[in-house]
Amino acid sequence: MKILIVGSSGFIGSRLAAALETAGHAVDRAARSELDFTRIDPAAWRRRVAAHDVAINAAGLIREAGAQSFDAVHVRGPMALFDACAAEGVAVVQLSALGADEHAAGAFQRTKKSADDHLLALDVPSLVLQPSLVYGEGGASARLFTMMATLPLIPLPGEGTQQVQPVHVDDLVGAVVATVEKRAFTRERVAIVGPEPLGLRELLARLR
């Protein structure tokens, strides 16, 4: 299959591109900087996705910076991508976030939900994967928690009982590859989480 990956230079996207190429697929890598989500040209998007079998959106922001806003990168850009895929008959895998639902509290998850809702309302084969905290070598969250775990005194919000269910980046990549190869585009949201829930205190203790 010919697969377009948007966000291919990121922590998840780069590993996903390598895994799909190893599996024998033709991967078209598109960094977020190449497909400028701050300037939406529907015709250009259609030309970009044409002749692909699947488009995977792995683009995302942890924090906003200038024109790279949550609205641009999580909402307007992906919506343009999804509309182009629907027009060209290209299946879509959207990498969203756990908690991107009606109870979403932060801008990160609320904007992810907006794009998820838009995709699932379109007449296009699709799947929205919602990973929990993704960890692995080189990941921003892994660096943060590993740094916290090495401190002599670890600062914890509240009593550190907040539940997380971290998933390794290799497991997330495996789920995406399986989705593509099985063509499991069931037009629904699927949570991708690790094998067990951990309190924040226990997670940091294990890392320590």
Side-chain angles (χ1 to χ4, degrees):
M1 279 186 276
K2 187 174 181 181
I3 302 166
L4 172 67
I5 301 179
V6 179
S8 61
S9 61
F11 170 58
I12 297 171
S14 60
R15 288 162 173 77
L16 180 56
L20 286 166
E21 286 172 341
T22 298
H25 300 286
V27 175
D28 181 0
R29 299 176 184 235
R32 195 178 72 222
S33 57
E34 175 191 349
L35 295 173
D36 187 354
F37 276 7
T38 66
R39 297 180 180 179
I40 305 304
D41 180 347
W45 275 110
R46 287 192 63 172
R47 288 193 297 271
R48 193 67 173 84
V49 305
H52 290 82
D53 299 295
V54 181
I56 300 171
N57 180 36
L61 289 177
I62 298 298
R63 60 183 62 86
E64 297 177 296
Q68 297 297 311
S69 65
F70 287 138
D71 180 62
V73 177
H74 289 175
V75 184
R76 289 186 287 116
M79 284 183 178
L81 170 65
F82 302 156
D83 288 345
C85 288
E88 296 293 329
V90 177
V92 179
V93 177
Q94 156 78 336
L95 294 185
S96 181
L98 195 67
D101 53 32
E102 62 274 13
H103 304 297
F108 177 89
Q109 290 166 317
R110 287 197 304 269
T111 51
K112 283 287 190 179
K113 178 182 184 299
S114 294
D116 300 347
D117 290 345
H118 184 81
L119 173 60
L120 294 175
L122 294 173
D123 184 16
V124 61
S126 62
L127 189 68
V128 174
L129 298 180
Q130 297 185 313
S132 61
L133 175 70
V134 180
Y135 71 93
E137 185 177 355
S141 59
R143 287 195 300 269
L144 172 62
F145 286 111
T146 301
M147 181 274 292
M148 290 176 63
T150 61
L151 295 174
L153 183 64
I154 301 176
L156 290 173
E159 297 182 356
T161 58
Q162 300 86 347
Q163 294 291 295
V164 292
Q165 199 159 344
V167 60
H168 194 274
V169 63
D170 290 347
D171 292 329
L172 173 58
V173 166
V176 178
V177 173
T179 295
V180 169
E181 295 191 331
K182 295 178 183 296
R183 301 195 66 82
F185 306 118
T186 52
R187 298 180 66 181
E188 62 183 330
R189 294 172 170 86
V190 176
I192 304 294
V193 300
E196 61 176 324
L198 300 171
L200 182 57
R201 179 186 295 274
E202 183 180 0
L203 171 62
L204 291 173
R206 291 191 185 188
L207 289 173
R208 191 179 184 93

